Amino acid sequence: MFGQTDNRNNRILERLNEIDHKMIQGETIEAISLLKKLEEIKGNSTIQDKYAIELRRFHVEYYINNNDENFNVALKRLDKISEMKIPLVEYDYLSFIAQVYKISFDFDNAIKYHKKALKIAEKRKDTTDIIYTCWSLGSSYYLIEYIDKPQFYKNKLDSALYFYNKALKFPENKTTIKYLPRIYNNLGRIETAKNNLSKSKVYIYKALDQHTKANDSFGIAISLNNLSKVFLVEKDYGKSIELAKKSNRYIKNKSLRVKQNNLEYIALSSYNIGQLKEAYIAMRNRKEISEKLTNITFLNNVKKTEIKYKIAKEQQNTLKEKYKRLNLQLLLYITGFSIVILVIIGFIFYTRNKQHKEKFDELIEKYKPRNNKDNIDLPIDTINNVLNGLLRFENEKLFLRKNIYLKSLAKELSTNSSYLSKIVNTHKKKNFNSYLNELRIEYAIDQLTHNKELRQYTIEGIADCMGYNNGDSFSSAFRKITGLYPSYFIKQLDKNHFDN
């Protein structure tokens, strides 16, 4: 894109494209290594290659640090490039800036810079850039409705349709095939939002067909997920469940968010056809994935921190190499100064690592597996007596009594609060409050499903039957475990004629 026809600049072009590919794949360290090699030869490059290399550095650094100052430099550099009339570089800068705004949910600015990029691409008649920019513009308009949700979003969806259809006017080939299924999927979602379900299915099935031809399992899973939602809206619950389950088989472990959506569709469809057990299982699995996603976000932050540390280490090594080329007097001065800095940094790292090690040890101790009785430092007789007591507590529905607390139940089981808490955590895999609430809510679901008379009670009345002191506590526990309010659950049971 940026090089001349000679071999040297072709190599620069190849490396620029390789850096872009590494960034898309999330291989940041490899991208940085390639970027360093390019920067070593930047001094002898053409002016447009220099700016192209610089843009990759902006991209890498923004991805790692979300550095607003760095982004502002890119904005200023764009003004200079526009004056110099370097359309190839200007297009890439505009696309980068638009994408940063899009990631930040500043869709007005994202659309503004994408439109500028589109003008350049159309002037150069570059099919690849035109299609990519039309797809990006359509996605920005599409996301406004789903994230900002303005009052009059219909015009935004119409704008998204305009740019998607503009991209679709180009013939299908190796270039366009990369973006067409994504466009068809989004067109399907838009038509679903507008309740044009027949049209929606046409688009999504096109996307599914192209993903299948490309043997793109992730794309197939996305299309099946979209179709599952369409059939859910159509109230074809059996088909919705079938497609969602099929999507999960294709998705494997590539996207937990798609799997989360599939489980939601399975839960809603199962619920609507009276398969409450299936709905409950799907809801619980969806909750587990939500917790995993939270954990993945944390791990990604750890990964970014690790990348920053490696970059800092590489920069430090680079500085040392430069010091060697200085004269002896300067070298001694800088070395002395560096030693002081390194001692301070080392002390800070030592202190932090010590703190992190202590926190790590605490976490390991807290979450250390305790899968059998030997893992609890308690007498075996005590464990058996408490477990037998808990079994009677469950079978005789003693959990329906009011004012049950860890301390009071421990006293009934002839043990103490600490022992009871440890045994519940180890053998029931949850804390005491969660254990008590799940027993009550599972019993409430069973009774409400099979006892029409109970459904005539007020929420306060039902809460009283289940051992709660008030309706708010019951509603809060019910929603936390099932994802639904009890009033909605009861309404749907009556609507579907669940009788004794």
Side-chain angles (χ1 to χ4, degrees):
M1 188 182 293
F2 291 97
Q4 301 296 327
T5 54
D6 58 86
N7 291 334
R8 182 181 165 284
N9 282 319
N10 281 336
R11 287 198 300 274
I12 292 176
L13 175 61
E14 288 173 5
R15 286 185 179 178
L16 288 171
N17 290 333
E18 193 173 353
I19 290 170
D20 291 338
H21 179 72
K22 295 293 184 185
M23 290 301 299
I24 292 169
Q25 297 297 320
E27 298 174 4
T28 316
I29 296 297
E30 293 81 354
I32 292 167
S33 178
L34 288 170
L35 183 61
K36 284 182 65 178
K37 291 177 182 177
L38 271 181
E39 287 182 328
E40 289 173 4
I41 61 172
K42 191 169 72 170
N44 298 319
S45 304
T46 63
I47 188 68
Q48 64 183 26
D49 283 340
K50 287 180 182 179
Y51 283 124
I53 294 167
E54 182 183 56
L55 175 62
R56 268 58 179 192
R57 181 167 58 79
F58 287 155
H59 189 178
V60 170
E61 290 182 1
Y62 187 84
Y63 173 80
I64 296 167
N65 299 307
N66 293 331
N67 191 328
D68 289 334
E69 184 180 344
N70 192 302
F71 178 62
N72 290 331
V73 172
L75 280 170
K76 291 176 182 177
R77 190 75 80 245
L78 173 63
D79 293 335
K80 185 176 180 181
I81 292 167
S82 299
E83 292 174 6
M84 295 172 66
K85 300 187 183 305
I86 312 176
L88 289 169
V89 185
E90 187 178 4
Y91 173 84
D92 268 16
Y93 266 84
L94 287 165
S95 294
F96 166 68
I97 290 166
Q99 285 298 334
V100 172
Y101 279 126
K102 187 175 175 182
I103 292 167
S104 305
F105 301 139
D106 184 349
F107 296 112
D108 288 337
N109 271 317
I111 289 166
K112 171 186 169 183
Y113 283 96
H114 272 315
K115 283 184 175 179
K116 288 183 178 181
L118 181 60
K119 285 183 181 179
I120 293 173
E122 287 178 331
K123 191 173 181 180
R124 290 175 42 240
K125 297 181 181 180
D126 188 315
T127 302
T128 303
D129 289 347
I130 292 171
I131 293 173
Y132 169 75
T133 312
C134 284
W135 170 70
S136 296
L137 269 166
S139 299
S140 295
Y141 279 114
Y142 168 78
L143 287 169
I144 289 176
E145 191 269 320
Y146 284 95
I147 294 177
D148 283 356
K149 294 190 178 298
Q151 185 178 0
F152 303 104
Y153 68 83
K154 183 177 182 298
N155 292 334
K156 306 299 181 183
L157 289 184
D158 288 343
S159 296
L161 288 169
Y162 169 79
F163 285 105
Y164 284 148
N165 287 323
K166 187 171 183 175
L168 293 176
K169 289 179 182 178
F170 290 91
E172 185 177 322
N173 54 43
K174 290 181 180 180
T175 301
T176 62
I177 198 67
K178 184 165 59 174
Y179 301 108
L180 286 178
R182 302 182 195 178
I183 293 173
Y184 285 135
N185 268 322
N186 280 357
L187 284 170
R189 290 192 189 107
I190 291 171
E191 296 301 339
T192 302
K194 295 167 75 174
N195 210 31
N196 297 331
L197 302 182
S198 297
K199 203 170 181 180
S200 173
K201 284 193 279 190
V202 170
Y203 282 128
I204 300 172
Y205 274 118
K206 279 185 179 180
L208 178 61
D209 180 59
Q210 291 184 355
H211 282 309
T212 304
K213 285 179 181 176
N215 199 24
D216 179 1
S217 60
F218 181 71
I220 293 170
I222 295 291
S223 297
L224 292 171
N225 173 261
N226 291 334
L227 283 171
S228 177
K229 183 176 181 179
V230 175
F231 282 103
L232 174 62
V233 175
E234 283 188 332
K235 298 184 179 180
D236 188 345
Y237 301 120
K239 188 68 174 176
S240 178
I241 293 170
E242 176 192 337
L243 291 168
K245 288 182 176 179
K246 191 174 181 181
S247 175
N248 276 342
R249 289 196 293 273
Y250 275 100
I251 206 69
K252 297 179 181 177
N253 293 320
K254 286 186 179 179
S255 175
L256 289 175
R257 294 195 185 280
V258 178
K259 194 169 185 180
Q260 185 182 40
N261 289 340
N262 285 328
L263 287 168
E264 181 180 342
Y265 302 154
I266 292 169
L268 290 170
S269 296
S270 298
Y271 179 81
N272 278 289
I273 59 178
Q275 295 179 356
L276 297 185
K277 184 178 179 181
E278 291 292 328
Y280 180 73
I281 292 170
M283 278 187 241
R284 294 296 298 273
N285 289 341
R286 186 183 183 280
K287 182 182 176 185
E288 288 179 8
I289 287 177
S290 296
E291 291 171 354
K292 283 182 182 177
L293 286 170
T294 302
N295 189 45
I296 286 170
T297 301
F298 169 75
L299 292 175
N300 285 339
N301 289 335
V302 172
K303 185 179 178 181
K304 282 191 176 184
T305 303
E306 182 184 355
I307 290 170
K308 290 179 185 179
Y309 173 74
K310 288 182 178 179
I311 292 170
K313 196 173 180 180
E314 285 189 10
Q315 289 173 342
Q316 190 179 54
N317 290 335
T318 302
L319 283 174
K320 288 182 180 180
E321 289 298 321
K322 288 181 180 179
Y323 294 152
K324 290 178 181 179
R325 292 192 289 268
L326 298 174
N327 61 55
L328 183 60
Q329 184 180 0
L330 184 61
L331 180 62
L332 289 172
Y333 172 77
I334 294 175
T335 301
F337 180 75
S338 296
I339 289 171
V340 174
I341 294 298
L342 288 172
V343 168
I344 294 171
I345 292 173
F347 178 75
I348 292 170
F349 273 113
Y350 170 77
T351 304
R352 287 183 180 176
N353 285 337
K354 187 178 179 182
Q355 291 172 347
H356 291 166
K357 181 66 168 61
E358 289 172 357
K359 288 181 180 179
F360 176 78
D361 291 340
E362 286 176 11
L363 285 173
I364 290 298
E365 179 60 29
K366 183 177 178 181
Y367 295 104
K368 184 163 61 179
R370 296 178 173 88
N371 296 324
N372 54 57
K373 297 172 186 177
D374 293 334
N375 287 333
I376 310 178
D377 189 18
L378 297 176
I380 292 176
D381 289 344
T382 300
I383 295 172
N384 287 332
N385 288 338
V386 172
L387 288 176
N388 288 332
L390 289 176
L391 185 61
R392 184 173 67 84
F393 180 70
E394 295 172 12
N395 291 340
E396 296 180 13
K397 308 294 185 290
L398 300 179
F399 52 79
L400 297 177
R401 295 175 300 169
K402 287 190 176 181
N403 299 320
I404 298 174
Y405 301 104
L406 180 68
K407 188 174 180 180
S408 62
L409 184 58
K411 189 174 180 181
E412 286 184 32
L413 300 179
S414 301
T415 186
N416 60 50
S417 302
S418 178
Y419 284 9
L420 178 58
S421 177
K422 286 183 179 179
I423 292 169
V424 169
N425 272 277
T426 301
H427 290 270
K428 302 299 180 181
K429 309 300 181 188
K430 61 200 74 170
N431 61 38
F432 179 76
N433 285 336
S434 296
Y435 168 65
L436 179 60
N437 278 323
E438 287 188 16
L439 288 174
R440 287 174 170 176
I441 298 306
E442 286 175 5
Y443 182 76
I445 290 171
D446 180 69
Q447 290 300 302
L448 288 169
T449 304
H450 301 96
N451 188 343
K452 187 176 181 180
E453 183 178 344
L454 181 62
R455 298 203 293 272
Q456 308 308 314
Y457 286 24
T458 63
I459 295 299
E460 293 285 344
I462 297 170
D464 188 68
C465 293
M466 300 304 151
Y468 289 93
N469 290 322
N470 55 68
D472 289 342
S473 299
F474 170 66
S475 294
S476 177
F478 195 98
R479 187 167 186 269
K480 183 177 180 181
I481 291 170
T482 68
L484 302 171
Y485 285 107
S487 55
Y488 179 82
F489 181 71
I490 292 167
K491 183 179 178 181
Q492 293 301 314
L493 288 172
D494 289 335
K495 185 178 177 181
N496 287 279
H497 307 293
F498 280 85
D499 297 326
N500 291 328

